[in-house]
Amino acid sequence: MTAYAICHLRNVELGAEIVDYIQRIDATLAPFSGHFLIHGATPEIVEGPWPGDLVMIAFPDMEAARGWYASPAYREILPLRTRNSTSVTMLVDGVPEGYKATQVLAKLS
């Protein structure tokens, strides 16, 4: 099942370190078959507050997503982003093809 790395970025200081991070992140994704779905987009908000930008990266599964985030290559560049932005980052499983919202009810009972 596809898993996602999602980052809500705020207060990004565009400077040499962020440029370096951007130039190097694709190479960290390749070994884990990760690819960007959304990168730095400012969402069109239709409900509630959302300051900042959104990044969403897809991986084949949660194991690959965790492997990427913990990889030496990504850990090496991570401080380039965290020193120059405020963010919340999460890893989350997607849902299988054909999923229906009502399926969550079985988990609740």
Side-chain angles (χ1 to χ4, degrees):
M1 180 172 8
T2 304
Y4 303 93
I6 301 170
C7 185
H8 176 197
L9 288 167
R10 298 172 314 284
N11 309 315
V12 178
E13 300 276 337
L14 281 177
E17 287 193 328
I18 289 292
V19 170
D20 189 22
Y21 175 86
I22 292 169
Q23 290 173 332
R24 296 168 64 187
I25 191 169
D26 288 318
T28 72
L29 297 172
F32 301 94
S33 300
H35 64 278
F36 285 96
L37 297 176
I38 301 168
H39 188 219
T42 302
E44 178 180 331
I45 304 305
V46 295
E47 290 183 32
W50 183 279
D53 296 319
L54 182 64
V55 175
M56 186 178 214
I57 303 168
F59 293 91
D61 52 38
M62 185 60 83
E63 182 179 343
R66 287 182 183 125
W68 163 74
Y69 193 79
S71 71
Y74 187 66
R75 301 312 275 182
E76 181 180 322
I77 68 169
L78 180 60
L80 300 174
R81 177 176 57 79
T82 58
R83 283 194 301 255
N84 295 283
S85 66
T86 305
S87 60
V88 173
T89 302
M90 66 191 85
L91 304 177
V92 62
D93 272 322
V95 296
E97 189 171 331
Y99 177 86
K100 302 290 185 206
T102 53
Q103 288 175 252
V104 74
L105 298 175
K107 293 179 187 178
L108 299 174
S109 49

